[in-house]
Amino acid sequence: MVGIRKLIDIIKKKAANAKHTSRMSEFEKCTVAYFLPDKGDKELFNEFRKTYNIKYIFGKDHQGKEPDMILKIGKHIFIIEAKHIKESGGAQDKQIVETIEFIRHSEKNKKFSIHYLSFMDGIYFNNFIHYSENSKIDEQKKSIEKYLSENRRNFFVNTAGFVELIENLKK
């Protein structure tokens, strides 16, 4: 929930007209709109999938896991998975793998550019920026680079990267 809260704060700060929508008609009308499938907006997510022919294979691969957020900015729609990770180990390792695997997926749509976006907040993200002799982190970095290369519309960002993305799209 920490990651989602941070995303909402950034969106509201960088796009003052952003609206948390509860209906598809509202989502379509707004220039900047979002909803939270994993936090109560599941029916809206199902309608969104049907309306835009979104397959969302990731959910099938991960026991029906819904994305944390759907964000629309103009002609861009982001299917977002957000994690706040301080360190590796135990349950965090599963979350890290899930966040990396999320960007393996892609969608095609004639009306919108659909992006899968993994948002990782917390000090663990620094492992991907700085050199590491840890083979597990090295493999994770290689996977991120491979998936982003295969799916050029997708993003793997931290807080600064998400802020920059929002600012660039507003222009």
Side-chain angles (χ1 to χ4, degrees), residues 23-38:
R23 293 187 321 271
M24 188 53 107
S25 59
E26 203 177 19
F27 182 77
E28 290 178 326
K29 285 179 191 173
C30 294
T31 303
V32 181
Y34 67 92
F35 61 91
L36 310 171
D38 203 32

Side-chain angles (χ1 to χ4, degrees), residues 41-85:
D41 294 332
K42 184 175 181 165
E43 290 304 315
L44 181 56
F45 180 60
N46 291 336
E47 188 179 349
F48 164 80
R49 288 181 61 200
K50 197 177 292 184
T51 301
Y52 297 111
N53 194 29
I54 303 295
K55 292 177 181 59
Y56 190 65
I57 303 297
F58 180 82
K60 293 176 187 168
D61 294 345
H62 291 86
Q63 294 105 22
K65 167 84 173 86
E66 305 292 349
D68 291 317
M69 177 183 281
I70 303 297
L71 170 65
K72 181 182 113 186
I73 302 175
K75 293 290 185 184
H76 297 270
I77 292 179
F78 298 88
I79 301 170
I80 301 173
E81 185 65 22
K83 301 286 185 210
H84 180 81
I85 301 174

